Amino acid sequence: MKIGFVGLGIMGSPMAANLLKAGHVVTGYDVSSARVDQLADLGGKGASSVVEAVAGADVVITMLPDSPQVEEVAPLVIEYGRPNLLYIDMSTIKPETSRWVAEKAAAVGVRALDAPVSGGERGAVDGTLSIMVGGAPEDVEAARPILSALGTTVVHVGPAGAGQTVKAANQLVVGGIYGLVSEAIVLLEASGVDPAAGLDVLAGGLAGSRILELKRHTMVKREFTPGFRIDLHHKDMGIAVAAARAAGVSLPLTGQVAQLVAAARAQGHGSLDHSALLKVVERLNG
């Protein structure tokens, strides 16, 4: 299929590459011309604007940092997309923004889905992302062959905006686990126990998680090269807290995690991987 891809960042670039590997024709645009050139080097087509990326596409995918960028790009996708275009926004944004996009799209016959992802850069590179999709069932089925090239778990979770609500839940859980793993490392080290050995045991038991599987070694070594930046997780925790307020529920642990992430950002760690919550816990302990 002809796919327009807007947003070739840490996640978008490997996702676009996997669509090329699956045999699709991908035309990509990003504010960074170097990223566009990188896609072209892989066999894709570079575009100089959103409109150029969208023109003639059967499917358009956006992978953008936040709601304001989606609010800027989505009207262009909707206006310049071909009739019956399938528009899949895979950004992590506010649920109300996704509902707004779906409403605008439906008014002109564009089929819109919100399909945020989990799995980080490694999952994007390996094509093993978990994808939570909101939208009409028939549109989700139409998108499934595309999404299956990007992830191994593709689940329709409800109507427009539902994907974003599930992603908010995902991010509060991920942040909470990072915080607890950080505390475990501090406890083990302060007690004279080898943290690498200790986390190996935890990873093989009931406390095991994908985070322990992928990140325990780099956390112990204090290697925080970003797969997903603190800045973005800070944005996502704001979405989670706002979603809880909108739903009228109390999520006290989510509030604490949001403050830890905010502290990491305030301490200047925004460009580091979200596993850098360890630096905040260490600072609390002097």
Side-chain angles (χ1 to χ4, degrees):
M1 300 185 76
K2 294 180 179 179
I3 300 173
F5 203 112
V6 180
L8 301 170
I10 287 177
M11 298 292 290
S13 286
M15 291 166 67
N18 282 330
L19 290 170
L20 287 171
K21 291 176 185 176
H24 300 290
V25 177
V26 181
T27 301
Y29 171 73
D30 192 273
V31 292
S32 167
S33 59
R35 292 171 182 167
V36 175
D37 292 341
Q38 182 181 29
L39 178 67
D41 290 342
L42 294 174
K45 298 181 179 180
S48 59
S49 67
V50 172
V51 173
E52 185 179 344
V54 169
D58 304 307
V59 178
V60 170
I61 296 174
T62 49
M63 189 61 165
L64 300 167
D66 202 350
S67 293
Q69 290 81 20
V70 173
E71 290 166 4
E72 178 182 351
V73 169
L76 296 174
V77 174
I78 292 167
E79 179 178 357
Y80 292 97
R82 64 189 298 177
N84 206 36
L85 173 73
L86 185 58
Y87 173 28
I88 310 171
D89 177 43
M90 305 189 76
S91 319
T92 296
I93 59 175
K94 297 180 291 187
E96 56 265 35
T97 299
S98 290
R99 290 191 288 268
W100 174 80
V101 170
E103 181 181 343
K104 296 292 185 184
V108 295
V110 170
R111 300 171 291 162
L113 299 172
D114 53 289
V117 306
S118 179
E121 182 184 13
R122 185 74 263 160
V125 171
D126 294 341
T128 58
L129 293 168
S130 179
I131 307 173
M132 48 223 82
V133 193
E138 61 273 19
D139 297 337
V140 176
E141 291 310 307
R144 196 172 291 278
I146 299 293
L147 298 176
S148 294
L150 304 174
T152 50
T153 302
V154 180
V155 180
H156 181 208
V157 295
Q164 300 297 347
T165 301
V166 175
K167 181 57 187 289
N170 179 86
Q171 293 303 79
L172 70 88
V173 171
V174 168
I177 293 173
Y178 271 126
L180 289 171
V181 171
S182 297
E183 292 186 6
I185 291 172
V186 168
L187 173 62
L188 291 168
E189 291 179 341
S191 304
V193 176
D194 177 9
L199 292 186
D200 284 347
V201 176
L202 296 184
L206 187 58
S209 68
R210 185 70 168 158
I211 286 173
L212 274 175
E213 178 186 343
L214 295 177
K215 293 286 191 174
R216 68 183 189 273
H217 300 300
T218 54
M219 288 181 73
V220 168
K221 294 176 183 176
R222 273 62 172 181
E223 295 174 356
F224 302 118
T225 302
F228 190 80
R229 292 181 285 114
I230 285 284
D231 278 340
L232 290 174
H233 208 130
H234 174 69
K235 177 262 296 183
D236 293 351
M237 292 309 299
I239 293 172
V241 171
R245 184 181 182 89
V249 295
S250 172
L251 305 180
L253 294 179
T254 296
Q256 288 186 312
V257 173
Q259 290 303 310
L260 281 174
V261 176
R265 190 166 183 263
Q267 291 171 17
H269 307 317
S271 63
L272 300 182
D273 187 75
H274 47 176
S275 58
L277 280 186
L278 175 56
K279 296 174 76 71
V280 179
V281 177
E282 287 182 312
R283 186 166 182 172
L284 288 171
N285 287 277

